[in-house]
Structure formats: structure tokens, C-alpha cells
Amino acid sequence: MAFFVNGSFSTENFKDVFSSGDVIKAFTNSFSISLLSSLITTITALIIAIGINFTNLNKNFKKFLEIALMVPMFLPTITYGFAIMHSFGKQGYILKLFAKPIIDIYGVGGLLLGYFIYTLPVSFILLNNGMKYIDKRYGLVSTLLYDSGFKNFMISIIKPIRFTIIISIIQCFFLSFTDFGIPASLGGNTPLIAKSLYEQMMGSVPDFNKGAIIALVMMIPSILSIVVISIFKEKNTSENISKNIYVRKNRARDVFIIIFSIFVVLIIFSVLISVVIIPFFEDYPYNLNFSLINIKNTLNDNELLGAYKNSIVVALVASIIGTVIAYIGALFTTRKQNINKFSKVLNVTPSIINTVPGMVLGISYLLAFSPTPIHNTLFIVIICDVVHYFSTPYLMFSDSLSKLNQNWETTSNLLGDSWFKNVKKILVPNSYKTIVEVFTYYFINNMVTVSAVIFITGARTMVITTKIKELQYFIRFDDIFVISTMILVTNIIVKIISNKLTKRGLKNEN
């Protein structure tokens, strides 16, 4: 649609969009803010990951940090914005504590804080996992050679995971640049590319042609990021995992890590705590009497409950379909050697999908399926979510299946078992843990996504995250926080069940 005007091929739309300079300004703002946020986030995650893997901190404290940094993953990004407003805004409790504004939340300050909370779990997972594969003997040898503390740090930690650090920066940048939820609530008057796309597609006078052009602009950093990541993956080298080796005592280092980590956790929870607490006030911030009226009103609202039920249905069905498709795809690429061309195509597919921002994918489905019977149905939402989150589950399954000992299957084949019987008896039981993790990954992300579905849900197919966007227009923040808490509790319950199923599976294997 970007290249057509009245049914004829034309570049007129590009001239109209770029002539005013608004899109370029929005692109520049999004790029610079996202880049700064990704640097801050990666440095923060790096420090905490070092504290968990290379210090003498208490094991329980380390476990607490790993859990605390995951909490933001259980809420939609649009909720962060409203939580920041009610924490750091003019009527926020933090302002009341400090008697003056700490940051300007409507603009760059609020966006940086929102992006930081949003991307920190992703960066931490990457770096914390990467550090578990560092051969800790590097540090021991460096110490025996009497290297300075800084040189020891660079040799034993930074050098082995330098590519992981770069990938973390790129991933955090990509997530921030393409996010819609945080700009929707905290963008203020700052032009941002995600807001520009939404205004073109859902404004008072929608212009799908110009919206398509902005969608193409959003793809530029995405494509560049995947190219850079591919280059770094080729250069990356594997490390040998070594047993935990004695970490030299350094009280100043450990105290710094503790203070820094607690400060970061306090920032996260000072924002997210408002989501859970505010619904219990009668009329925050004007009437602070304890009350359950807001919760009762929300639970009695059939539209809100309907959106919540839609979210549960979409998350469950998309998780089942997505898990099955990702598993079958990984089976073909890791076990079927006679379809090399198909395997190569399937191996490239996650990289391609990973370059498509959620909003761009949603627009593609809107334009492609608007004239079909599945338009404005939950089916199109489910399919969009399955495709949007396919990349990580497929890679998880591929990694898991490629590491399984193929001698088991060879033995089974010699006993006359069919390929399908091999899958049922050997592959599925031995990849049980990954199956549970992939299902959980799909479910949680489906419950919190907003950008991928904002354009393809209607009145009957509204899911809970798009309902939050609608409630924003009516300033119904009590309802927003109640349903956000429902999302949080739902995801935590699913995660707890997932952990129990994983532990049970590991016990059965033993």
C-alpha cells in the first residue's frame, strides 16, 4: 500500500510523509531515546549479573534478585506508564515523600524509566545466562599473574561475554524502539515513531498508505539489528563451563553490588507496587481510605471480564498451537536430514520474524485479512500471536533437540520403532522441560502483548491489554490497575505451575 495511490504505482505517499519532517523527527527521537535506554539497561544488568556469578553474596539474596528482576515481564508495558504516572507524577506518592519532582515523566525521563523497567529482564537473562558459560579459570590465572583488578575484570568477565553484551544492547534497543505501550502513556508531546504509526492507522482520519510507509521506516533498525547479531554470532566462540572456583574476597565490591542491586529493585517495585495497592484506596490520591469498591466494580463489569476471558482463551490456544508448531519445526530441522532445503528455510524464518515489530505485523494482518471471514475474530489474534513469538520457542526447541544423544534413536530404530514412535518415546519425554518452558513463554507474552494486537482487535475480540488502552481515554485508572493486577496474578500462577511441572519432570527423569 505504501507504493500505491488510487490503485496506481507511485512514490507520492513517500513525498507526503517525509516532506513535513515529522516522521524523521519521530524516528530520530525514538532512535536516540531507545539507544540511551539500552545502554543504561545493559550496564545495570551487567553489574547485577556479575554480583550473582562472581561475588560472595548470600545465595538467598542472589535468588531474590533473579526473581525480582523477572516481575516486570508479567505486566503489559502500557501498565508501566500508568504506574509511573501514579508513582512519580504530580499526585504520586514518591512526590509526596520527596516534596519535589524527581524526573519529568511526560517525555524523555518517563520514557527512559519505562523502557528501563521493560527491557531489564531481557538484558539480565542474556547476561546472567552468558556468565554461567564463562570459564572461571580465566580469573584464577589472572589473579595468579598479579594482574590489576581492572585487567582481571576485563580478561575474566568482559572479554568472554563481549558479544553477549552487544547483543543485549541491540535487543534492548529493538524492544524499546518498537514498543507502543510506554509511549502511549508517557510519550507526552514527544514525537515517537510508534505513536506516529498508531495515529496514522487509528486516528480520526486513518491513512493506511502513510501508515504502511511508517511501518517500513520502523523496519530499518530491525533489519540492521538482525544483520549485526548474525555477524556477532558467527564471531562468537564457545566457552567451557567450569566448576565454581574460589572467588577472592572483596568486601567493598560486594557491598557496592548489594547497594546497587537493592536500589534497582526499589526503582522497579516503587513503580509496580502502585499497580497492586492503588485499587484498594477508595479514590487515589484524594481519598486514601481502604476500600474494595474499585475491585467490585471491575469484577462486575461484563465488558472487562469479557476482555479478560478473551485474553485467557487467546493465550491458551496460541500457546498450544505455537508450542506444537515450533516443536514440529525444530524436529524437522534437527532430525529430518533428507529435507535440507526446507530446513535451511525454516532456520532463517526465526531471524526474519524477529525483525518484524509487533505493530508492523499487526498492520500486515489487518490489511491482508480485512476482506476475509477471519477478520475481527479471535482466530486472527491467535495466529498473529503465534507468528509474533515463534522465533524464541523455535530456537529453544532446536537447541534442546540438537543436544539430545541421537544414539538412543539409533537403538530404537534397530529395534524396529517408527520415527513417530521415536518422537513419542524418546524425544518428547527428554525435551519435556523445554516444552513446559515454551508453553509458559507463549502464555505470558500473549497475556501482556499490546503492540501486536492493537490493530486487529474489535469490540467483540478485545483482549485485556487493548482494553487498557481504551480505558485510558476515559481516565479509568482504577479499572486499569485492577485488570493489570489480574494479569500479574494470572502470569505468576502460570509460572508457579510451570516450575512445579518442570521439577516433577526432572524427578521422573531421575
Side-chain angles (χ1 to χ4, degrees):
M1 294 191 71
F3 292 95
F4 288 89
V5 177
N6 297 325
S8 301
F9 182 85
S10 173
T11 59
E12 195 64 32
N13 290 321
F14 286 86
K15 293 178 182 178
D16 291 342
V17 169
F18 292 109
S19 60
S20 66
D22 292 341
V23 172
I24 295 175
K25 187 175 183 181
F27 178 89
T28 304
N29 286 340
S30 294
F31 189 94
S32 57
I33 295 172
S34 299
L35 181 59
L36 178 58
S37 170
S38 64
L39 292 171
I40 295 172
T41 302
T42 299
I43 292 171
T44 302
L46 179 65
I47 294 172
I48 297 177
I50 290 171
I52 290 174
N53 293 278
F54 291 93
T55 66
N56 295 305
L57 300 184
N58 182 274
K59 290 183 179 179
N60 292 328
F61 181 71
K62 292 180 179 181
K63 189 66 177 177
F64 164 75
L65 288 179
E66 290 181 328
I67 295 173
L69 294 183
M70 294 300 104
V71 173
M73 296 181 70
F74 299 148
L75 283 168
T77 56
I78 195 169
T79 300
Y80 303 162
F82 301 130
I84 290 171
M85 288 165 53
H86 284 75
S87 301
F88 290 88
K90 293 181 179 180
Q91 299 296 331
Y93 70 91
I94 291 179
L95 178 64
K96 297 181 185 298
L97 289 174
F98 290 92
K100 62 179 181 178
I102 298 176
I103 61 171
D104 180 12
I105 60 169
Y106 298 106
V108 176
L111 290 168
L112 286 174
L113 179 57
Y115 291 150
F116 173 79
I117 295 174
Y118 170 40
T119 59
L120 184 61
V122 175
S123 180
F124 174 74
I125 289 172
L126 285 169
L127 295 171
N128 190 45
N129 182 67
M131 287 185 186
K132 295 185 187 306
Y133 289 84
I134 292 179
D135 191 334
K136 294 181 173 60
R137 286 171 294 188
Y138 289 148
L140 180 61
V141 172
S142 180
T143 301
L144 293 175
L145 292 174
Y146 298 102
D147 290 336
S148 64
F150 178 76
K151 189 175 182 179
N152 185 300
F153 171 71
M154 295 300 294
I155 292 174
S156 61
I157 299 178
I158 299 300
K159 187 177 179 180
I161 62 163
R162 60 193 183 279
F163 296 121
T164 306
I165 293 172
I166 294 172
I167 289 173
S168 170
I169 294 172
I170 294 172
Q171 189 69 17
C172 291
F173 167 83
F174 174 75
L175 290 171
S176 301
F177 184 84
T178 59
D179 179 63
F180 170 72
I182 294 168
S185 49
L186 295 175
N189 296 321
T190 305
L192 297 165
I193 197 71
K195 285 170 59 182
S196 298
L197 179 57
Y198 181 81
E199 289 164 3
Q200 288 294 340
M201 300 298 294
M202 303 291 284
S204 55
V205 184
D207 191 328
F208 291 168
N209 297 88
K210 292 181 179 179
I213 293 172
I214 297 174
L216 289 175
V217 172
M218 288 186 72
M219 291 285 290
I220 296 173
S222 307
I223 295 171
L224 291 175
S225 68
I226 202 65
V227 170
V228 174
I229 288 175
S230 299
I231 294 171
F232 286 135
K233 279 185 177 179
E234 290 178 2
K235 292 183 178 181
N236 203 2
T237 57
S238 59
E239 299 287 343
N240 296 317
I241 305 177
S242 63
K243 298 290 183 180
N244 285 332
I245 292 176
Y246 173 76
V247 178
R248 59 181 178 181
K249 294 182 179 180
N250 188 325
R251 184 171 178 78
R253 175 201 63 200
D254 292 357
V255 170
F256 168 76
I257 294 288
I258 291 172
I259 295 173
F260 182 83
S261 301
I262 291 175
F263 176 72
V264 172
V265 171
L266 285 176
I267 290 176
I268 294 172
F269 280 89
S270 65
V271 172
L272 300 185
I273 197 69
S274 60
V275 177
V276 179
I277 290 182
I278 286 177
F280 291 96
F281 292 116
E282 189 169 326
D283 185 19
Y284 183 89
Y286 308 106
N287 187 344
L288 301 182
N289 291 326
F290 176 83
S291 174
L292 297 176
I293 188 66
N294 295 317
I295 297 174
K296 290 179 180 178
N297 289 339
T298 302
L299 296 179
N300 289 328
D301 191 316
N302 291 328
E303 284 190 12
L304 294 181
L305 290 181
Y308 177 72
K309 291 175 183 176
N310 284 345
S311 290
I312 296 293
V313 170
V314 168
L316 281 173
V317 177
S319 299
I320 293 170
I321 295 175
T323 301
V324 171
I325 292 176
Y327 193 82
I328 292 173
L331 276 177
F332 278 117
T333 55
T334 59
R335 289 300 187 271
K336 286 288 187 179
Q337 304 301 327
N338 59 332
I339 48 173
N340 291 329
K341 289 184 179 179
F342 178 76
S343 298
K344 289 178 181 178
V345 171
L346 197 53
N347 276 322
V348 173
T349 300
S351 297
I352 296 173
I353 293 174
N354 212 29
T355 65
V356 182
M359 294 183 74
V360 176
L361 188 66
I363 288 176
S364 300
Y365 275 70
L366 172 67
L367 299 177
F369 295 103
S370 56
T372 68
I374 69 170
H375 176 65
N376 199 24
T377 65
L378 286 180
F379 181 73
I380 191 175
V381 179
I382 290 169
I383 297 303
C384 183
D385 283 342
V386 168
V387 173
H388 184 43
Y389 293 110
F390 173 79
S391 178
T392 299
Y394 169 76
L395 294 173
M396 289 171 68
F397 278 137
S398 295
D399 183 57
S400 174
L401 291 173
S402 63
K403 289 179 179 177
L404 291 181
N405 190 340
Q406 295 195 24
N407 290 333
W408 299 338
E409 295 157 73
T410 302
T411 303
S412 181
N413 289 331
L414 292 174
L415 292 174
D417 291 340
S418 66
W419 183 75
F420 290 102
K421 200 168 185 179
N422 277 339
V423 172
K424 181 181 178 181
K425 289 174 57 178
I426 298 173
L427 299 182
V428 171
N430 283 284
S431 54
Y432 170 82
K433 179 176 179 289
T434 308
I435 292 172
V436 174
E437 288 177 346
V438 165
F439 180 89
T440 306
Y441 172 87
Y442 255 121
F443 187 92
I444 290 174
N445 280 284
N446 276 290
M447 285 297 294
V448 302
T449 186
V450 58
S451 59
V453 298
I454 191 71
F455 296 126
I456 56 176
T457 56
R460 294 184 301 104
T461 60
M462 190 79 69
V463 292
I464 202 72
T465 49
T466 54
K467 195 68 179 178
I468 291 175
K469 177 61 182 172
E470 181 183 288
L471 294 173
Q472 178 188 8
Y473 291 114
F474 300 101
I475 320 179
R476 293 171 58 181
F477 291 111
D478 291 325
D479 288 328
I480 288 173
F481 287 139
V482 172
I483 61 179
S484 295
T485 302
M486 291 166 64
I487 295 172
L488 176 65
V489 172
T490 301
N491 284 335
I492 289 175
I493 290 173
V494 170
K495 185 62 177 175
I496 291 172
I497 294 173
S498 169
N499 290 341
K500 288 186 176 181
L501 289 174
T502 301
K503 289 180 181 178
R504 184 181 300 175
L506 293 174
K507 286 182 180 178
N508 292 336
E509 288 179 11
N510 298 328

